[in-house]
Amino acid sequence: MTAGQTDPEVATPHGRIRGRYDGGIAVFRGIPYAAPPVGPRRFRPPAPPEPWDGVRDAGAFGPTPPKPPYSEAFEKYLSDPVVPGDDCLNLNVWTPDPDPAARLPVLVWFHGGALTRGSSAVPVYDGRSFARDGVVLVSVNYRLGVEGYGLFPDAPANPGLRDQLAALRWVHEAIAAFGGDPARITLAGQSAGAISIGALIAAPQAQGLFRRAVLQSGPPEAFDRDKVRRMVRRMAARLKVPATADAFAAVDPELLLRTQAEVGRLSSPVLGGPSFGIVVDGDLVPRDPLQALVDGDAAAGAELLMGWTRDEYRLWLVPGGLVERVDRLGPVALAGAMARCHCGHEVVRGYRALHPDAGTAEIVGQLVTDHLLRIPLHRLADARPGTSYVYEFAWPSLLPGLGACHALELGFVFDTGEVPESTKLAGEGGPQRLADQMHRAWVRFVTDGDPGWEPWDIAHPVRVFGELAAPREEGRPDTVREPYTALGPRDRELGLWRLDAAARAVVPDTVPAADAPAATRTVELRSAVRRLRRSAALRRH
């Protein structure tokens, strides 16, 4: 705040609030967009907040939703602050000009965390850099875990996603008072936040509330309802209560969190297993979001920016020491990956041929990453050529073993690489020029729908950020390539899946199990794998 400058005040739909100036940016934190989800409101859709008289202080982050802490292994890399209190359905706004006449583009951010952890208070998500560059940044808290995504016979599904829709409606109604343009709203999220964005842009109730969307390392998807039910039933068995919303609402919140953490301990993107997720509910999510978007039933004309990190899987495997264990398991781990990804032996052989120097953990990790992320995002981009933009983040963390892992790009997108919470994952001294490039691309996309490279077409252009131009040397700064466009960098791997799916489709259900592997190995698939092996051999020489 400059001399003589008073704290900024804004009128919201439920009352006036007072924020703070931070380096010339007006910041409003902890603004309630819905009533506290406690008492009779637990496990129920969000309700509007009670209006207030006078001016409510919005100088500090509001309470964070109930969530278990990260394990010691993950806490080393990821930060997840806790702000106590019941009024956890709140959001924050950073704006360079809280004037209704400003009409600035708006970015609404939904955090990741597997729908069980995370919050808008994570310092990596600070919105000052976006506001500095002319974008109003809104970050949102929403219910997590069993409170947000448990599936019960006596309560509507997806209350956490309904929180996000309520927040989006609040933004659409209120953001003009903060200097934002309700006709220029971009939704963005990473990991579980991106999965949420995929469901929102496909939701009939959200149409007309956004202009664009950014999906970072998370595709539109709907979870298997049985997986979510199993999670709830296992919790109910431990708690010795019925698997109903009413029974769970009577359980002490801390006990509920501990039980959730115990039951979900072995679930992960690599291992699979019961977990919480967005499900088809016939209402907010009437059908699979990816299929709705691929069919063109939703978000017609909306520009999409989406992508992944080169080594997503390393955040899933490195903290718990799973890389070494998977490498030791060898064929057993590969068999588990095939079961997890529903693919055949020829896909694995193809990956081996393409990456002859890769260990088992890398093969497993890339298989799972392609199955969970790259294949669905390719499908989405293929269905929307001309309005989809795809990227890959390739810069490897300065910390041992992490590579270009899941969530590493966040400090670069938000240009918050200097905060300790970013360096926990990236290490000290990440390249500022890379942050400038990525952040500028996101600002361009939010502002006019063009991040600065060609949209998706039959050539499959992918913008690569942060690739090293030379091997890393200890004690010397990285030599990082300028961003460049690669054509179809994942096409050979993903082509194996299409061939495998085609081969499996021609095998009748009556084929005996013992004969099925041979039957699925079509001449075309074998020929493709041989070509990949020859290509890999030529590259080695």
Side-chain angles (χ1 to χ4, degrees):
M1 181 174 12
T2 60
Q5 190 176 34
T6 60
D7 289 334
E9 289 190 13
V10 166
T12 78
H14 305 101
R16 290 188 68 81
I17 57 172
R18 179 184 298 112
R20 302 289 188 274
Y21 277 106
D22 182 359
I25 303 300
V27 186
F28 303 83
R29 297 181 174 92
I31 308 168
Y33 67 84
V38 296
R41 296 193 184 101
R42 284 183 83 186
F43 302 99
R44 304 294 164 181
E50 289 291 329
W52 58 87
D53 296 324
V55 180
R56 180 180 180 129
D57 186 70
F61 285 114
T64 51
K67 55 188 175 176
Y70 280 116
S71 68
E72 184 177 347
F74 279 91
E75 194 277 333
K76 177 181 177 182
Y77 300 105
L78 301 173
S79 296
D80 197 7
V82 173
V83 180
D86 294 332
D87 205 355
C88 63
L89 299 185
N90 58 70
L91 50 77
N92 320 292
V93 180
W94 285 260
T95 176
D97 188 3
D99 182 341
R103 309 296 284 184
L104 298 168
V106 180
L107 178 63
V108 181
W109 178 257
F110 294 102
H111 65 82
L115 298 178
T116 56
R117 295 176 175 87
S119 79
S120 65
V122 175
V124 179
Y125 309 144
D126 189 286
R128 283 176 296 175
S129 294
F130 277 102
R132 174 200 67 200
D133 294 329
V135 173
V136 178
L137 190 287
V138 182
S139 60
V140 179
N141 281 340
Y142 54 94
R143 278 174 285 182
L144 303 168
V146 71
E147 301 250 4
Y149 297 93
L151 192 55
F152 299 98
D154 56 336
N158 302 315
L161 188 66
R162 295 173 192 275
D163 294 342
Q164 295 173 349
L165 177 61
L168 178 55
R169 285 172 170 159
W170 184 97
V171 171
H172 199 264
E173 181 180 357
I175 204 63
F178 295 84
D181 184 350
R184 301 169 70 196
I185 293 173
T186 298
L187 305 184
Q190 185 267 346
S191 192
I195 293 171
S196 301
I197 297 301
L200 281 175
I201 64 176
Q205 293 95 320
Q207 303 310 299
L209 299 179
F210 63 92
R211 176 79 171 272
R212 304 180 178 98
V214 182
L215 289 81
Q216 298 176 213
S217 300
E221 67 178 14
F223 271 51
D224 185 327
R225 292 174 68 93
D226 285 340
K227 277 191 173 183
V228 180
R229 283 198 189 97
R230 286 204 302 275
M231 194 77 168
V232 171
R233 287 169 183 159
R234 289 180 183 182
M235 289 183 65
R238 284 179 178 253
L239 293 166
K240 297 181 172 54
V241 300
T244 65
D246 284 347
F248 273 51
V251 175
D252 175 75
E254 289 299 321
L255 175 58
L256 202 61
L257 282 180
R258 288 198 302 273
T259 305
Q260 175 185 304
E262 292 166 2
V263 170
R265 183 171 53 88
L266 296 180
S267 296
S268 77
V270 175
L271 299 173
S275 56
F276 292 113
I278 296 164
V279 298
V280 173
D281 58 19
D283 172 25
L284 180 57
V285 188
R287 58 183 299 211
D288 179 81
L290 177 60
Q291 197 60 52
L293 292 167
V294 166
D295 291 345
D297 295 348
E303 297 98 346
L304 303 179
L305 172 60
M306 51 189 144
W308 48 78
T309 70
R310 182 163 290 181
D311 307 308
E312 297 273 2
Y313 71 95
R314 288 192 166 270
L315 186 64
W316 307 330
L317 294 182
V318 169
L322 286 176
V323 170
E324 295 78 11
R325 274 182 270 176
V326 171
D327 279 338
R328 284 198 301 270
L329 286 170
V332 175
L334 289 170
M338 286 189 290
R340 173 82 174 96
C341 299
H342 313 292
C343 69
H345 291 276
E346 298 297 350
V347 174
V348 175
R349 290 192 178 99
Y351 275 63
R352 286 286 198 201
L354 283 169
H355 307 282
D357 298 325
T360 299
E362 183 173 349
I363 296 295
V364 168
Q366 294 293 3
L367 280 169
V368 174
T369 300
D370 286 347
H371 172 65
L372 294 178
L373 280 175
R374 296 186 184 119
I375 290 174
L377 290 179
H378 265 244
R379 280 189 63 200
L380 182 55
D382 282 341
R384 292 168 176 261
T387 58
S388 297
Y389 299 85
V390 179
Y391 73 90
E392 177 172 287
F393 180 81
W395 182 77
S397 170
L398 294 164
L399 300 181
L402 287 180
C405 68
H406 192 66
L408 183 59
E409 87 284 9
L410 290 170
F412 295 88
V413 168
F414 278 85
D415 192 13
T416 52
E418 79 287 351
V419 303
E421 291 77 9
S422 285
T423 61
K424 284 177 71 172
L425 195 59
E428 298 279 354
Q432 179 59 43
R433 181 168 174 76
L434 177 57
D436 295 340
Q437 293 162 339
M438 289 200 76
H439 177 72
R440 183 165 58 246
W442 264 242
V443 169
R444 286 186 56 166
F445 181 76
V446 173
T447 302
D448 60 24
D450 179 1
W453 65 90
E454 55 269 52
W456 191 261
D457 59 19
I458 59 172
H460 293 179
V462 176
R463 195 68 161 181
V464 179
F465 289 93
E467 186 170 85
L468 296 187
R472 178 172 283 162
E473 295 183 31
E474 188 174 352
R476 299 186 64 180
D478 286 342
T479 304
V480 182
R481 292 184 63 176
E482 291 294 293
Y484 70 95
T485 300
L487 299 181
R490 301 285 169 177
D491 283 3
R492 290 176 299 177
E493 288 92 341
L494 302 190
L496 291 165
W497 298 79
R498 288 191 294 272
L499 291 170
D500 186 60
R504 288 167 176 269
V506 302
V507 180
D509 293 339
T510 55
V511 172
D515 295 339
T520 59
R521 294 173 195 162
T522 64
V523 172
E524 184 181 10
L525 189 51
R526 279 184 166 178
S527 175
V529 171
R530 284 196 296 271
R531 289 196 300 272
L532 289 171
R533 285 173 176 159
R534 286 198 297 271
S535 173
L538 288 173
R539 286 200 306 278
R540 289 200 300 275
H541 295 292

